[in-house]
mmCIF file of all heavy atoms in Angstrom:
data_model
loop_
_atom_site.group_PDB
_atom_site.id
_atom_site.type_symbol
_atom_site.label_atom_id
_atom_site.label_comp_id
_atom_site.label_asym_id
_atom_site.label_seq_id
_atom_site.Cartn_x
_atom_site.Cartn_y
_atom_site.Cartn_z
ATOM 1 N N LYS P 115 -11.500 17.042 -0.241
ATOM 2 C CA LYS P 115 -10.057 16.872 -0.369
ATOM 3 C C LYS P 115 -9.671 16.191 -1.706
ATOM 4 O O LYS P 115 -10.467 15.496 -2.233
ATOM 5 C CB LYS P 115 -9.442 16.124 0.756
ATOM 6 C CG LYS P 115 -9.761 16.785 2.138
ATOM 7 C CD LYS P 115 -8.873 16.153 3.237
ATOM 8 C CE LYS P 115 -7.447 16.405 3.070
ATOM 9 N NZ LYS P 115 -6.688 15.874 4.239
ATOM 10 N N GLU P 116 -8.410 16.370 -2.057
ATOM 11 C CA GLU P 116 -7.948 15.736 -3.294
ATOM 12 C C GLU P 116 -7.703 14.238 -3.039
ATOM 13 O O GLU P 116 -7.318 13.844 -1.965
ATOM 14 C CB GLU P 116 -6.682 16.485 -3.737
ATOM 15 C CG GLU P 116 -6.780 17.851 -4.156
ATOM 16 C CD GLU P 116 -7.541 18.038 -5.357
ATOM 17 O OE1 GLU P 116 -7.470 17.130 -6.238
ATOM 18 O OE2 GLU P 116 -8.207 19.135 -5.534
ATOM 19 N N ARG P 117 -7.847 13.456 -4.041
ATOM 20 C CA ARG P 117 -7.499 12.088 -4.005
ATOM 21 C C ARG P 117 -6.055 11.933 -3.858
ATOM 22 O O ARG P 117 -5.228 12.600 -4.582
ATOM 23 C CB ARG P 117 -7.897 11.477 -5.348
ATOM 24 C CG ARG P 117 -7.740 9.887 -5.412
ATOM 25 C CD ARG P 117 -8.483 9.345 -6.514
ATOM 26 N NE ARG P 117 -8.295 10.021 -7.792
ATOM 27 C CZ ARG P 117 -8.882 9.940 -9.036
ATOM 28 N NH1 ARG P 117 -9.746 8.933 -9.081
ATOM 29 N NH2 ARG P 117 -8.589 10.495 -10.026
ATOM 30 N N GLU P 118 -5.649 11.181 -2.912
ATOM 31 C CA GLU P 118 -4.192 10.990 -2.751
ATOM 32 C C GLU P 118 -3.778 9.641 -2.676
ATOM 33 O O GLU P 118 -4.444 8.701 -2.227
ATOM 34 C CB GLU P 118 -3.771 11.614 -1.370
ATOM 35 C CG GLU P 118 -4.515 10.974 -0.232
ATOM 36 C CD GLU P 118 -3.907 11.560 1.109
ATOM 37 O OE1 GLU P 118 -2.963 12.326 1.164
ATOM 38 O OE2 GLU P 118 -4.724 11.366 2.257
ATOM 39 N N GLY P 119 -2.535 9.230 -3.133
ATOM 40 C CA GLY P 119 -1.881 8.032 -3.083
ATOM 41 C C GLY P 119 -1.575 7.638 -1.648
ATOM 42 O O GLY P 119 -1.098 8.472 -0.958
ATOM 43 N N VAL P 120 -1.997 6.390 -1.371
ATOM 44 C CA VAL P 120 -1.612 5.825 -0.023
ATOM 45 C C VAL P 120 -0.402 4.807 -0.071
ATOM 46 O O VAL P 120 0.555 5.037 0.667
ATOM 47 C CB VAL P 120 -2.869 5.214 0.500
ATOM 48 C CG1 VAL P 120 -2.528 4.493 1.926
ATOM 49 C CG2 VAL P 120 -3.959 6.128 0.792
ATOM 50 N N ALA P 121 -0.518 3.940 -0.943
ATOM 51 C CA ALA P 121 0.623 2.902 -1.112
ATOM 52 C C ALA P 121 0.471 2.276 -2.478
ATOM 53 O O ALA P 121 -0.564 2.342 -3.125
ATOM 54 C CB ALA P 121 0.487 1.943 0.047
ATOM 55 N N VAL P 122 1.548 1.745 -2.831
ATOM 56 C CA VAL P 122 1.629 1.044 -4.186
ATOM 57 C C VAL P 122 2.527 -0.108 -4.114
ATOM 58 O O VAL P 122 3.469 -0.192 -3.377
ATOM 59 C CB VAL P 122 2.082 2.046 -5.315
ATOM 60 C CG1 VAL P 122 3.582 2.460 -5.101
ATOM 61 C CG2 VAL P 122 1.839 1.364 -6.678
ATOM 62 N N ILE P 123 2.200 -1.131 -4.870
ATOM 63 C CA ILE P 123 3.063 -2.377 -4.991
ATOM 64 C C ILE P 123 3.088 -2.674 -6.481
ATOM 65 O O ILE P 123 2.163 -2.772 -7.185
ATOM 66 C CB ILE P 123 2.721 -3.541 -4.197
ATOM 67 C CG1 ILE P 123 3.650 -4.721 -4.245
ATOM 68 C CG2 ILE P 123 1.187 -3.991 -4.588
ATOM 69 C CD1 ILE P 123 3.380 -5.724 -3.248
ATOM 70 N N TYR P 124 4.474 -2.864 -6.857
ATOM 71 C CA TYR P 124 4.679 -3.081 -8.367
ATOM 72 C C TYR P 124 4.794 -4.647 -8.616
ATOM 73 O O TYR P 124 4.980 -5.355 -7.618
ATOM 74 C CB TYR P 124 6.012 -2.533 -8.805
ATOM 75 C CG TYR P 124 5.988 -1.025 -9.032
ATOM 76 C CD1 TYR P 124 6.033 -0.106 -8.045
ATOM 77 C CD2 TYR P 124 6.004 -0.404 -10.239
ATOM 78 C CE1 TYR P 124 5.982 1.269 -8.137
ATOM 79 C CE2 TYR P 124 5.904 0.889 -10.474
ATOM 80 C CZ TYR P 124 5.895 1.737 -9.439
ATOM 81 O OH TYR P 124 5.910 3.114 -9.590
ATOM 82 N N THR P 125 4.578 -4.965 -9.862
ATOM 83 C CA THR P 125 4.660 -6.421 -10.103
ATOM 84 C C THR P 125 5.977 -7.033 -9.633
ATOM 85 O O THR P 125 6.091 -8.177 -9.102
ATOM 86 C CB THR P 125 4.437 -6.652 -11.693
ATOM 87 O OG1 THR P 125 3.266 -6.076 -11.993
ATOM 88 C CG2 THR P 125 4.705 -8.047 -11.946
ATOM 89 N N GLY P 126 7.098 -6.226 -9.782
ATOM 90 C CA GLY P 126 8.336 -6.698 -9.369
ATOM 91 C C GLY P 126 8.488 -6.665 -7.863
ATOM 92 O O GLY P 126 9.709 -7.186 -7.391
ATOM 93 N N GLY P 127 7.620 -6.147 -7.069
ATOM 94 C CA GLY P 127 7.685 -6.173 -5.680
ATOM 95 C C GLY P 127 8.124 -4.880 -5.062
ATOM 96 O O GLY P 127 7.978 -4.765 -3.774
ATOM 97 N N ALA P 128 8.469 -3.942 -5.690
ATOM 98 C CA ALA P 128 8.689 -2.619 -5.153
ATOM 99 C C ALA P 128 7.520 -2.033 -4.430
ATOM 100 O O ALA P 128 6.457 -2.157 -4.963
ATOM 101 C CB ALA P 128 9.242 -1.661 -6.226
ATOM 102 N N ILE P 129 7.722 -1.389 -3.314
ATOM 103 C CA ILE P 129 6.653 -0.797 -2.547
ATOM 104 C C ILE P 129 6.893 0.563 -2.141
ATOM 105 O O ILE P 129 8.069 1.014 -1.792
ATOM 106 C CB ILE P 129 6.349 -1.742 -1.252
ATOM 107 C CG1 ILE P 129 5.809 -3.073 -1.674
ATOM 108 C CG2 ILE P 129 5.373 -0.908 -0.321
ATOM 109 C CD1 ILE P 129 5.706 -4.037 -0.517
ATOM 110 N N PHE P 130 5.918 1.557 -2.185
ATOM 111 C CA PHE P 130 6.115 2.851 -1.750
ATOM 112 C C PHE P 130 4.835 3.350 -0.909
ATOM 113 O O PHE P 130 3.801 2.788 -1.310
ATOM 114 C CB PHE P 130 6.220 3.794 -3.011
ATOM 115 C CG PHE P 130 7.478 3.536 -3.755
ATOM 116 C CD1 PHE P 130 7.452 2.730 -4.908
ATOM 117 C CD2 PHE P 130 8.735 4.045 -3.461
ATOM 118 C CE1 PHE P 130 8.609 2.380 -5.597
ATOM 119 C CE2 PHE P 130 9.907 3.728 -4.161
ATOM 120 C CZ PHE P 130 9.779 2.950 -5.270
ATOM 121 N N TYR P 131 5.094 4.197 -0.027
ATOM 122 C CA TYR P 131 4.045 4.704 0.879
ATOM 123 C C TYR P 131 4.017 6.056 0.848
ATOM 124 O O TYR P 131 5.097 6.691 0.715
ATOM 125 C CB TYR P 131 4.164 4.147 2.254
ATOM 126 C CG TYR P 131 4.082 2.693 2.548
ATOM 127 C CD1 TYR P 131 5.271 1.924 2.590
ATOM 128 C CD2 TYR P 131 2.866 1.998 2.654
ATOM 129 C CE1 TYR P 131 5.168 0.455 2.788
ATOM 130 C CE2 TYR P 131 2.826 0.637 2.779
ATOM 131 C CZ TYR P 131 3.915 -0.100 2.825
ATOM 132 O OH TYR P 131 3.822 -1.440 3.055
ATOM 133 N N ALA P 132 2.837 6.618 1.063
ATOM 134 C CA ALA P 132 2.781 8.012 1.462
ATOM 135 C C ALA P 132 3.379 8.322 2.848
ATOM 136 O O ALA P 132 3.264 7.480 3.679
ATOM 137 C CB ALA P 132 1.304 8.476 1.414
ATOM 138 N N ASP P 133 4.048 9.448 2.989
ATOM 139 C CA ASP P 133 4.590 9.768 4.214
ATOM 140 C C ASP P 133 3.679 9.680 5.525
ATOM 141 O O ASP P 133 4.032 9.180 6.567
ATOM 142 C CB ASP P 133 5.321 11.229 4.291
ATOM 143 C CG ASP P 133 6.502 11.165 3.419
ATOM 144 O OD1 ASP P 133 7.079 10.157 3.132
ATOM 145 O OD2 ASP P 133 6.958 12.283 2.899
ATOM 146 N N SER P 134 2.343 10.062 5.185
ATOM 147 C CA SER P 134 1.443 10.037 6.238
ATOM 148 C C SER P 134 1.061 8.728 6.801
ATOM 149 O O SER P 134 0.410 8.650 7.882
ATOM 150 C CB SER P 134 0.149 10.805 5.678
ATOM 151 O OG SER P 134 -0.383 10.111 4.700
ATOM 152 N N VAL P 135 1.256 7.615 6.022
ATOM 153 C CA VAL P 135 0.931 6.324 6.584
ATOM 154 C C VAL P 135 2.154 5.457 6.751
ATOM 155 O O VAL P 135 1.913 4.206 7.353
ATOM 156 C CB VAL P 135 -0.013 5.669 5.518
ATOM 157 C CG1 VAL P 135 -1.250 6.672 5.247
ATOM 158 C CG2 VAL P 135 0.657 5.191 4.241
ATOM 159 N N LYS P 136 3.355 5.844 6.613
ATOM 160 C CA LYS P 136 4.524 5.078 6.783
ATOM 161 C C LYS P 136 4.520 4.519 8.287
ATOM 162 O O LYS P 136 4.376 5.418 9.186
ATOM 163 C CB LYS P 136 5.701 5.658 6.426
ATOM 164 C CG LYS P 136 5.970 5.955 4.981
ATOM 165 C CD LYS P 136 7.324 6.729 4.574
ATOM 166 C CE LYS P 136 7.477 6.835 3.090
ATOM 167 N NZ LYS P 136 8.694 7.591 2.872
ATOM 168 N N GLY P 137 4.883 3.307 8.467
ATOM 169 C CA GLY P 137 4.954 2.700 9.774
ATOM 170 C C GLY P 137 3.611 2.280 10.324
ATOM 171 O O GLY P 137 3.592 1.570 11.354
ATOM 172 N N ARG P 138 2.560 2.682 9.607
ATOM 173 C CA ARG P 138 1.129 2.234 10.097
ATOM 174 C C ARG P 138 0.452 1.333 9.110
ATOM 175 O O ARG P 138 -0.262 0.453 9.503
ATOM 176 C CB ARG P 138 0.311 3.535 10.344
ATOM 177 C CG ARG P 138 0.828 4.380 11.533
ATOM 178 C CD ARG P 138 -0.109 5.514 11.848
ATOM 179 N NE ARG P 138 -0.427 6.296 10.722
ATOM 180 C CZ ARG P 138 -1.680 6.466 10.123
ATOM 181 N NH1 ARG P 138 -2.675 5.817 10.750
ATOM 182 N NH2 ARG P 138 -1.907 7.323 9.086
ATOM 183 N N PHE P 139 0.620 1.635 7.859
ATOM 184 C CA PHE P 139 -0.094 0.811 6.895
ATOM 185 C C PHE P 139 1.027 -0.122 6.171
ATOM 186 O O PHE P 139 2.150 0.205 5.920
ATOM 187 C CB PHE P 139 -0.626 1.673 5.766
ATOM 188 C CG PHE P 139 -1.776 2.589 6.253
ATOM 189 C CD1 PHE P 139 -2.151 2.584 7.565
ATOM 190 C CD2 PHE P 139 -2.524 3.276 5.235
ATOM 191 C CE1 PHE P 139 -3.110 3.330 8.022
ATOM 192 C CE2 PHE P 139 -3.660 3.997 5.674
ATOM 193 C CZ PHE P 139 -3.910 4.024 7.050
ATOM 194 N N THR P 140 0.528 -1.305 5.695
ATOM 195 C CA THR P 140 1.451 -2.210 4.997
ATOM 196 C C THR P 140 0.586 -2.690 3.711
ATOM 197 O O THR P 140 -0.594 -3.233 3.889
ATOM 198 C CB THR P 140 1.808 -3.377 5.807
ATOM 199 O OG1 THR P 140 2.465 -2.893 6.995
ATOM 200 C CG2 THR P 140 2.657 -4.299 5.133
ATOM 201 N N ILE P 141 1.209 -2.541 2.537
ATOM 202 C CA ILE P 141 0.601 -3.113 1.492
ATOM 203 C C ILE P 141 1.161 -4.389 1.142
ATOM 204 O O ILE P 141 2.456 -4.568 1.294
ATOM 205 C CB ILE P 141 0.784 -2.058 0.223
ATOM 206 C CG1 ILE P 141 -0.086 -2.562 -0.957
ATOM 207 C CG2 ILE P 141 2.301 -1.948 -0.139
ATOM 208 C CD1 ILE P 141 -0.188 -1.466 -2.076
ATOM 209 N N SER P 142 0.436 -5.409 0.571
ATOM 210 C CA SER P 142 0.894 -6.710 0.296
ATOM 211 C C SER P 142 0.051 -7.262 -0.796
ATOM 212 O O SER P 142 -1.036 -6.752 -1.171
ATOM 213 C CB SER P 142 0.907 -7.574 1.456
ATOM 214 O OG SER P 142 -0.294 -7.737 2.006
ATOM 215 N N ARG P 143 0.338 -8.372 -1.218
ATOM 216 C CA ARG P 143 -0.339 -9.146 -2.368
ATOM 217 C C ARG P 143 -0.376 -10.686 -2.073
ATOM 218 O O ARG P 143 0.523 -11.111 -1.380
ATOM 219 C CB ARG P 143 0.219 -8.775 -3.708
ATOM 220 C CG ARG P 143 1.600 -9.283 -3.904
ATOM 221 C CD ARG P 143 2.160 -8.742 -5.206
ATOM 222 N NE ARG P 143 3.588 -9.136 -5.286
ATOM 223 C CZ ARG P 143 4.422 -8.561 -6.149
ATOM 224 N NH1 ARG P 143 4.087 -7.680 -6.929
ATOM 225 N NH2 ARG P 143 5.650 -9.021 -6.276
ATOM 226 N N ASP P 144 -1.244 -11.296 -2.529
ATOM 227 C CA ASP P 144 -1.294 -12.683 -2.475
ATOM 228 C C ASP P 144 -0.268 -13.310 -3.456
ATOM 229 O O ASP P 144 0.318 -12.643 -4.287
ATOM 230 C CB ASP P 144 -2.717 -13.312 -2.687
ATOM 231 C CG ASP P 144 -3.265 -13.128 -4.081
ATOM 232 O OD1 ASP P 144 -2.599 -12.667 -5.014
ATOM 233 O OD2 ASP P 144 -4.501 -13.262 -4.280
ATOM 234 N N THR P 145 0.004 -14.573 -3.348
ATOM 235 C CA THR P 145 0.929 -15.229 -4.223
ATOM 236 C C THR P 145 0.588 -15.191 -5.730
ATOM 237 O O THR P 145 1.603 -15.164 -6.503
ATOM 238 C CB THR P 145 1.267 -16.609 -3.835
ATOM 239 O OG1 THR P 145 0.002 -17.357 -3.805
ATOM 240 C CG2 THR P 145 1.782 -16.756 -2.276
ATOM 241 N N GLY P 146 -0.662 -15.183 -5.848
ATOM 242 C CA GLY P 146 -0.988 -15.097 -7.361
ATOM 243 C C GLY P 146 -1.066 -13.762 -7.915
ATOM 244 O O GLY P 146 -1.197 -13.513 -9.060
ATOM 245 N N LYS P 147 -0.792 -12.775 -6.982
ATOM 246 C CA LYS P 147 -0.800 -11.282 -7.337
ATOM 247 C C LYS P 147 -2.125 -10.778 -7.916
ATOM 248 O O LYS P 147 -2.129 -9.633 -8.430
ATOM 249 C CB LYS P 147 0.357 -11.056 -8.374
ATOM 250 C CG LYS P 147 1.741 -11.477 -7.805
ATOM 251 C CD LYS P 147 2.816 -11.142 -8.884
ATOM 252 C CE LYS P 147 4.200 -11.637 -8.303
ATOM 253 N NZ LYS P 147 5.297 -11.321 -9.296
ATOM 254 N N SER P 148 -3.155 -11.483 -7.705
ATOM 255 C CA SER P 148 -4.476 -10.972 -8.205
ATOM 256 C C SER P 148 -5.119 -10.214 -7.156
ATOM 257 O O SER P 148 -6.098 -9.401 -7.442
ATOM 258 C CB SER P 148 -5.350 -12.101 -8.563
ATOM 259 O OG SER P 148 -5.556 -13.050 -7.567
ATOM 260 N N THR P 149 -4.751 -10.266 -5.852
ATOM 261 C CA THR P 149 -5.347 -9.416 -4.855
ATOM 262 C C THR P 149 -4.274 -8.697 -4.080
ATOM 263 O O THR P 149 -3.204 -9.299 -3.810
ATOM 264 C CB THR P 149 -6.052 -10.435 -3.896
ATOM 265 O OG1 THR P 149 -7.069 -11.245 -4.506
ATOM 266 C CG2 THR P 149 -6.803 -9.695 -2.714
ATOM 267 N N VAL P 150 -4.590 -7.448 -3.811
ATOM 268 C CA VAL P 150 -3.634 -6.598 -3.095
ATOM 269 C C VAL P 150 -4.377 -6.221 -1.829
ATOM 270 O O VAL P 150 -5.571 -5.984 -1.757
ATOM 271 C CB VAL P 150 -3.371 -5.368 -3.878
ATOM 272 C CG1 VAL P 150 -4.504 -4.504 -4.228
ATOM 273 C CG2 VAL P 150 -2.265 -4.555 -3.163
ATOM 274 N N TYR P 151 -3.744 -6.117 -0.729
ATOM 275 C CA TYR P 151 -4.144 -5.835 0.649
ATOM 276 C C TYR P 151 -3.602 -4.519 1.116
ATOM 277 O O TYR P 151 -2.420 -4.172 0.775
ATOM 278 C CB TYR P 151 -3.879 -7.013 1.543
ATOM 279 C CG TYR P 151 -4.331 -8.297 1.081
ATOM 280 C CD1 TYR P 151 -3.470 -9.172 0.331
ATOM 281 C CD2 TYR P 151 -5.653 -8.715 1.299
ATOM 282 C CE1 TYR P 151 -3.945 -10.389 -0.020
ATOM 283 C CE2 TYR P 151 -6.049 -9.968 0.813
ATOM 284 C CZ TYR P 151 -5.124 -10.727 0.227
ATOM 285 O OH TYR P 151 -5.634 -12.038 -0.211
ATOM 286 N N LEU P 152 -4.210 -3.954 2.014
ATOM 287 C CA LEU P 152 -3.741 -2.793 2.778
ATOM 288 C C LEU P 152 -4.153 -2.969 4.221
ATOM 289 O O LEU P 152 -5.268 -2.862 4.600
ATOM 290 C CB LEU P 152 -4.353 -1.492 2.244
ATOM 291 C CG LEU P 152 -3.734 -0.228 2.838
ATOM 292 C CD1 LEU P 152 -2.443 -0.089 2.440
ATOM 293 C CD2 LEU P 152 -4.542 1.027 2.480
ATOM 294 N N GLN P 153 -3.087 -3.356 4.984
ATOM 295 C CA GLN P 153 -3.242 -3.519 6.338
ATOM 296 C C GLN P 153 -3.085 -2.100 6.977
ATOM 297 O O GLN P 153 -2.074 -1.588 6.844
ATOM 298 C CB GLN P 153 -2.346 -4.535 6.889
ATOM 299 C CG GLN P 153 -2.371 -4.717 8.447
ATOM 300 C CD GLN P 153 -3.611 -5.306 8.983
ATOM 301 O OE1 GLN P 153 -4.101 -6.355 8.348
ATOM 302 N NE2 GLN P 153 -4.244 -4.826 9.910
ATOM 303 N N MET P 154 -4.078 -1.767 7.660
ATOM 304 C CA MET P 154 -4.025 -0.292 8.350
ATOM 305 C C MET P 154 -4.055 -0.537 9.863
ATOM 306 O O MET P 154 -5.138 -0.993 10.381
ATOM 307 C CB MET P 154 -5.218 0.492 7.884
ATOM 308 C CG MET P 154 -5.256 0.643 6.310
ATOM 309 S SD MET P 154 -6.652 1.741 5.718
ATOM 310 C CE MET P 154 -8.055 0.842 6.284
ATOM 311 N N ASN P 155 -3.101 -0.083 10.514
ATOM 312 C CA ASN P 155 -2.886 -0.093 11.993
ATOM 313 C C ASN P 155 -2.902 1.250 12.529
ATOM 314 O O ASN P 155 -2.577 2.177 11.834
ATOM 315 C CB ASN P 155 -1.709 -0.912 12.321
ATOM 316 C CG ASN P 155 -1.825 -2.414 11.953
ATOM 317 O OD1 ASN P 155 -2.858 -3.042 11.896
ATOM 318 N ND2 ASN P 155 -0.682 -2.944 11.642
ATOM 319 N N SER P 156 -3.167 1.348 13.848
ATOM 320 C CA SER P 156 -3.033 2.673 14.537
ATOM 321 C C SER P 156 -3.727 3.730 13.716
ATOM 322 O O SER P 156 -3.300 4.883 13.512
ATOM 323 C CB SER P 156 -1.631 3.142 14.652
ATOM 324 O OG SER P 156 -0.883 2.103 15.364
#
């Protein structure tokens, strides 16, 4: 399959998700912004 975007977080804080994961996945970052997380539920 093709590589697909799941989620993104901008330096300014804007967040976007692929429709397929909305409501299930959450992208976040630490306070230093050096680490980004993807919480995947369901």
Side-chain angles (χ1 to χ4, degrees):
K115 299 189 69 176
E116 297 290 332
R117 182 170 50 187
E118 63 176 343
V120 176
V122 66
I123 184 166
Y124 286 74
T125 299
I129 292 172
F130 299 94
Y131 296 98
D133 289 342
S134 60
V135 306
K136 288 180 179 177
R138 299 188 298 121
F139 291 11
T140 302
I141 190 170
S142 63
R143 63 192 177 194
D144 62 13
T145 55
K147 302 181 180 180
S148 62
T149 303
V150 64
Y151 305 95
L152 186 68
Q153 178 66 46
M154 304 185 295
N155 298 326
S156 302

